[in-house]
């Protein structure tokens, strides 16, 4: 569940907010509007790491799609399971 506190609560509920921020993102509002997020350094590093991993995976997927499109454009593909298995077998034989 999302934790939301007013900026005034940072003074009155400091321990509670810090305890939550060790495990989850705490949203801080000002005048009823979203203003800040608060979290532990460890959680922040973990979030950055996950975002970097996701970005790297997305880029690898885009590269695979580009390569696949290039392969189709250049005629480097087979149609059907039998053709695939035959091509795979030929590839395995030629690579020992």
């Amino acid at each position: 569940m999302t934790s939301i506190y007013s900026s005034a609560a940072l003074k009155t509920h400091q321990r509670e907010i810090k305890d939550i921020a060790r495990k989850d993102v705490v949203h801080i509002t000002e005048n009823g509007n979203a203003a800040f997020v608060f979290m532990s350094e460890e959680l922040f590093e973990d979030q950055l790491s996950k975002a970097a991993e996701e970005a790297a995976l997305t880029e690898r997927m885009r590269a695979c799609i580009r390569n696949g499109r290039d392969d189709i454009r250049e005629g480097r593909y087979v149609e059907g399971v039998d053709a695939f298995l035959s091509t795979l077998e030929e590839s395995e034989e030629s690579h020992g």
Side-chain angles (χ1 to χ4, degrees):
M1 187 165 138
T2 303
S3 299
I4 303 172
Y5 289 87
S6 68
S7 56
L10 289 172
K11 235 182 205 184
T12 59
H13 294 89
Q14 193 175 93
R15 174 58 41 209
E16 178 183 339
I17 293 171
K18 284 182 180 179
D19 288 344
I20 294 169
R22 284 182 176 79
K23 299 176 251 155
D24 201 4
V25 176
V26 177
H27 298 266
I28 307 297
T29 63
E30 280 187 341
N31 301 319
N33 298 311
F36 305 98
V37 292
F38 182 68
M39 67 183 88
S40 69
E41 184 75 23
E42 183 179 342
L43 185 58
F44 178 70
E45 292 296 330
D46 186 51
Q47 295 284 331
L48 282 179
S49 178
K50 285 179 183 177
E53 288 174 17
E54 189 173 314
L57 177 60
T58 298
E59 187 50 40
R60 287 194 300 272
M61 290 173 63
R62 285 182 178 146
C64 287
I65 291 169
R66 280 193 304 271
N67 290 340
R69 287 178 177 158
D70 290 345
D71 286 343
I72 290 170
R73 191 172 30 259
E74 299 295 323
R76 295 184 301 255
Y77 66 93
V78 295
E79 291 184 31
V81 174
D82 292 335
F84 168 74
L85 293 174
S86 177
T87 302
L88 181 61
E89 188 176 298
E90 289 172 11
S91 176
E92 288 174 345
E93 288 173 1
S94 68
H95 290 95

